Amino acid sequence: MSANDTTTVLVIGYVWPEPRSSAAGGHMMQILESFLEAGWHITFASPASIGEHKADLRSLGIDEQAIELNNSSFDSFITQLQPDVVLFDRFMMEEQFGWRVEKHCPDALRVLETSDLQSLRDARQQQLKERLKADPDPDDFSELFAPELPQIFQQMSATDLAQREIAAIYRSDLSLMISDVEIGLLTEQFCLPPALLHWCPLMLDAPDAFRSFEQRAHFLSIGNFRHAPNWDAVLWMKTTLWPMIRQQLPSAQLHIYGAYTPPKATALHNPAQGFHVLNWAEDALQVMSAARICLAPLRFGAGIKGKLVDAMLCGTPSITTPIGAEAMHGDLPWPGAVESSAQALARAAVQLYQDSSAWHRAQAAGQALLAARYDRRLHGPALVARIEQCREQLVQHRRDNFTGAMLRHHHHKSTQYMAQWIEAKNRTA
């Protein structure tokens, strides 16, 4: 590639990015912005319907293209585009379109944006269900949060979801991992080559100033209601955690914001209990900046949590679980508290809500954490450099990944024939 050539990128999105609805949408926009800063030309394509909070990609100079599943019109589209890099957003898009990309653009670098390991999140959700079935006590989840990587591997490895997801990682030339804990899980337990993975956390700019302790009030929880861990956290707060906090702070108020609020969530709205379900926040950072404490009592999940990074950006201390804090702070202190039981979470929330000195120490810890792990000026160029390095060494890179080549051979053939059968069936229907 000469210095005058412009790298062409095709992103195949599971959904159209909604940065104000989810951390996954925000992370996708950060990746796109890194590509734009490198001078790359981007086309974003998706088979999904357009959501109400979709980002305006065209205003950024990004082309948009609607595509269809199981339709050869994609073949004509990608043959004409001839991208240098194809980014699959979530492994399901690699499953659907990987064989078409390889067939029509064999020299394009294939990158997978995992967002988080869905198979890990699913395994933890099953563990929670089993724990609640065996012991309905809603308070202490220390044992649930304690398993080491070998135990998590045992839970995941036999599942269909893990086998599909990790096969897609093998088939891709490079997979973007938002969590370094998940990188450890993949390399140490699933034995994936580190050369196939790249740590790409949320990429952020440092904030300027914050509202003071005295200017803030209330507790806040925020997250897309379509995301199962968020909904579970709301239920746990409603039934267990929030009554404990209100017992110690009778006038406390909890404001819960979430995109795509279902009726089952609005039914929990109860101002008399200080429990307010307030639908989608037009500006998440604005409402986070007005809150004194962010509550994120996640009992399962994966990746890193956008709501907790937003809290740091706003100088808002947070109370969460080991699942919430996983992969987010390394060896640095948490900007708030990390606890494993409802009683400990409630105690920490009340103490931090009332203690101005502890609150300011937590706020300062959040700023140190942002600078150490989430600096856009470091991670954006590092992502671009890793992709360029893989492109330059693509032949050898693929030769070293024989397992991926083998999986592509068998999976892509079966997927191709299934897709062609579905397309033919649709034409005759």
Side-chain angles (χ1 to χ4, degrees):
M1 183 177 68
S2 71
N4 294 325
D5 289 337
T6 298
T7 298
T8 299
V9 181
L10 170 64
V11 179
I12 303 177
Y14 177 64
V15 295
W16 294 94
E18 296 189 3
R20 294 186 296 172
S21 297
S22 69
H27 194 233
M28 175 54 70
M29 292 304 298
Q30 293 157 15
I31 291 170
L32 296 177
E33 288 162 5
S34 297
F35 293 168
L36 290 172
E37 289 175 3
W40 294 358
H41 181 267
I42 306 171
T43 299
F44 195 102
S46 179
S49 58
I50 294 178
E52 58 185 289
H53 308 307
K54 171 186 169 293
D56 185 0
L57 300 179
R58 293 190 186 278
S59 68
L60 300 174
I62 298 173
D63 295 334
E64 298 180 0
Q65 178 66 46
I67 54 177
E68 295 184 43
L69 300 173
N70 305 308
N71 194 308
S72 56
S73 61
F74 179 85
D75 303 347
S76 302
F77 159 67
I78 196 171
T79 299
Q80 183 176 1
L81 184 64
Q82 283 298 304
D84 303 299
V85 178
V86 177
L87 176 69
F88 302 102
D89 173 30
R90 262 64 75 88
F91 78 90
M92 298 82 78
M93 293 297 96
E94 189 280 336
E95 286 183 329
Q96 287 286 340
F97 294 98
W99 70 270
R100 295 184 187 274
V101 171
E102 183 169 19
K103 180 177 180 180
H104 298 287
C105 299
D107 296 327
L109 184 76
R110 297 182 289 268
V111 182
L112 175 61
E113 155 62 346
T114 61
S115 183
D116 59 23
L117 282 180
Q118 296 183 42
S119 52
L120 172 60
R121 187 197 325 142
D122 183 73
R124 284 174 165 163
Q125 184 174 11
Q126 296 308 312
Q127 287 178 326
L128 176 62
K129 290 179 179 178
E130 292 168 6
R131 153 70 171 78
L132 292 175
K133 184 177 180 180
D135 179 7
D137 177 11
D139 181 28
D140 192 350
F141 292 87
S142 301
E143 292 184 5
L144 187 70
F145 299 146
E148 300 294 329
L149 294 184
Q151 286 72 42
I152 296 173
F153 168 75
Q154 292 178 12
Q155 181 80 13
M156 292 173 62
S157 59
T159 66
D160 176 75
L161 188 59
Q163 292 172 14
R164 289 173 55 201
E165 187 169 31
I166 292 168
I169 293 173
Y170 264 115
R171 289 192 299 265
S172 302
D173 297 314
L174 187 68
S175 290
L176 309 185
M177 306 299 301
I178 204 168
S179 162
D180 52 0
V181 169
E182 292 174 13
I183 290 178
L185 177 63
L186 291 177
T187 56
E188 297 170 23
Q189 301 301 316
F190 288 93
C191 301
L192 266 86
L196 297 181
L197 308 174
H198 177 75
W199 182 45
C200 184
L202 295 179
M203 298 177 278
L204 306 163
D205 292 310
D208 296 325
F210 312 110
R211 291 189 186 184
S212 68
F213 177 86
E214 291 76 18
Q215 291 174 315
R216 297 169 182 250
H218 311 314
F219 294 85
L220 178 137
S221 185
I222 192 167
N224 191 325
F225 280 107
R226 289 179 176 174
H227 193 52
N230 292 337
W231 173 238
D232 176 75
V234 169
L235 291 177
W236 195 29
M237 285 189 289
K238 175 69 174 181
T239 60
T240 307
L241 177 58
W242 185 245
M244 292 179 176
I245 293 174
R246 283 277 287 191
Q247 186 175 14
Q248 300 176 67
L249 296 174
S251 61
Q253 306 293 311
L254 172 60
H255 296 162
I256 300 174
Y257 294 88
Y260 303 103
T261 311
K264 64 181 181 181
T266 55
L268 301 179
H269 179 69
N270 191 327
Q273 298 175 351
F275 198 90
H276 305 268
V277 180
L278 300 172
N279 300 317
W280 184 65
E282 182 71 28
D283 187 336
L285 297 183
Q286 183 180 40
V287 297
M288 184 70 78
S289 295
R292 188 174 290 179
I293 301 291
C294 171
L295 291 179
L298 298 165
R299 294 192 290 187
F300 68 96
I304 59 178
K305 318 308 181 293
K307 60 178 70 63
L308 294 172
V309 173
D310 284 349
M312 295 180 225
L313 284 171
C314 298
T316 307
S318 56
I319 308 295
T320 190
T321 65
I323 294 292
E326 181 181 87
M328 293 200 62
H329 63 116
D331 296 328
L332 295 173
W334 184 255
V338 179
E339 301 290 352
S340 296
S341 71
Q343 287 189 12
L345 286 162
R347 185 165 53 248
V350 170
Q351 189 270 334
L352 199 56
Y353 192 86
Q354 296 176 312
D355 188 336
S356 174
S357 297
W359 189 91
H360 280 103
R361 288 194 299 271
Q363 185 182 76
Q367 305 325 295
L369 191 47
L370 284 175
R373 290 179 69 89
Y374 302 101
D375 191 336
R376 181 181 65 84
R377 296 168 299 176
L378 298 176
H379 293 293
L383 171 60
V384 169
R386 183 69 186 278
I387 289 175
E388 290 178 336
Q389 179 190 45
C390 286
R391 289 188 62 204
E392 292 169 359
Q393 303 171 356
L394 187 55
V395 173
Q396 184 62 46
H397 185 77
R398 287 179 175 171
R399 187 179 296 136
D400 292 341
N401 182 21
F402 177 79
T403 300
M406 179 175 61
L407 288 169
R408 282 199 309 275
H409 172 78
H410 291 287
H411 175 268
H412 286 175
K413 290 296 183 184
S414 61
T415 305
Q416 174 182 346
Y417 297 143
M418 176 61 73
Q420 290 172 338
W421 179 81
I422 292 173
E423 183 177 8
K425 184 173 182 289
N426 290 339
R427 280 199 299 264
T428 58

